[in-house]
């Protein structure tokens, strides 16, 4: 097992699509969404696949969970892995923590484990992340 390593970078997002689950006129309410992210820095992944389930607890506030498939590299090691994400959002932006789904690493990322976080502020065109990990 390698030592714990912390890497940083930025990601951008595009193609946000959201659909209500059930009634869209009440609170709390549910929605699902998909988005495509592109990571640079320690994580290099040109176009990820992300699916979120969102709980709106008020106007523009709530909680979400999601899964993101990243295919690319972490600090030069090539492969793919899945992140489980949990976050909250409000009028200011979004805070999220994420963790590698155990056993999801492939290629040179087989055995990858780790976690990280990001904070997005409305209006930002890219988002800084930090990811601490170990590999087999």
């Amino acid at each position: 097992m390698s030592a714990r390593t912390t890497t940083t970078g930025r990601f951008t997002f595009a193609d946000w699509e959201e659909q209500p689950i059930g009634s869209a006129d009440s609170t709390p309410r549910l929605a699902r969404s998909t988005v495509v992210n592109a990571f640079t820095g320690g994580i290099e992944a040109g176009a990820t696949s992300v699916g979120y389930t969102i709980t709106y607890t008020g106007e523009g506030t709530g909680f979400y969970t999601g899964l993101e498939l990243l295919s690319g590299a972490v600090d030069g090691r090539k492969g793919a892995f899945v992140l489980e994400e949990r976050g909250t959002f409000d009028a200011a932006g979004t805070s999220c923590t994420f963790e590698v789904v155990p056993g999801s690493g492939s290629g040179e990322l087989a055995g990858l484990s780790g976690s990280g976080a990001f904070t997005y502020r409305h209006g930002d065109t890219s988002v800084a992340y930090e990811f601490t990990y170990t590999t087999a």
Side-chain angles (χ1 to χ4, degrees):
M1 178 94 52
S2 68
R4 294 180 63 78
T5 302
T6 298
T7 194
T8 61
R10 301 190 75 79
F11 70 91
T12 59
F13 48 91
D15 301 328
W16 179 274
E17 293 184 28
E18 186 173 319
Q19 304 86 29
I21 301 172
S23 173
D25 299 327
S26 64
T27 302
R29 63 185 168 90
L30 296 176
R32 76 183 112 212
S33 69
T34 58
V35 66
V36 176
N37 291 328
F39 283 78
T40 60
I43 299 173
E44 293 286 336
T48 69
S49 299
V50 189
Y52 292 118
T53 301
I54 305 162
T55 303
Y56 287 92
T57 56
E59 185 60 40
T61 63
F63 172 84
Y64 66 93
T65 61
L67 294 171
E68 181 165 12
L69 173 61
L70 293 94
S71 181
V74 176
D75 288 334
R77 296 178 74 164
K78 295 179 180 176
F81 61 99
V82 175
L83 293 177
E84 177 184 24
E85 302 176 9
R86 296 180 163 279
T88 59
F89 58 92
D90 60 22
T94 301
S95 294
C96 179
T97 59
F98 53 85
E99 189 169 330
V100 175
V101 172
S104 68
S106 68
E108 294 175 339
L109 298 175
L112 179 71
S113 65
S115 60
F118 67 82
T119 301
Y120 163 75
R121 297 292 168 220
H122 289 296
D124 289 350
T125 57
S126 70
V127 182
Y129 67 84
E130 182 173 283
F131 179 50
T132 301
Y133 68 94
T134 59
T135 55

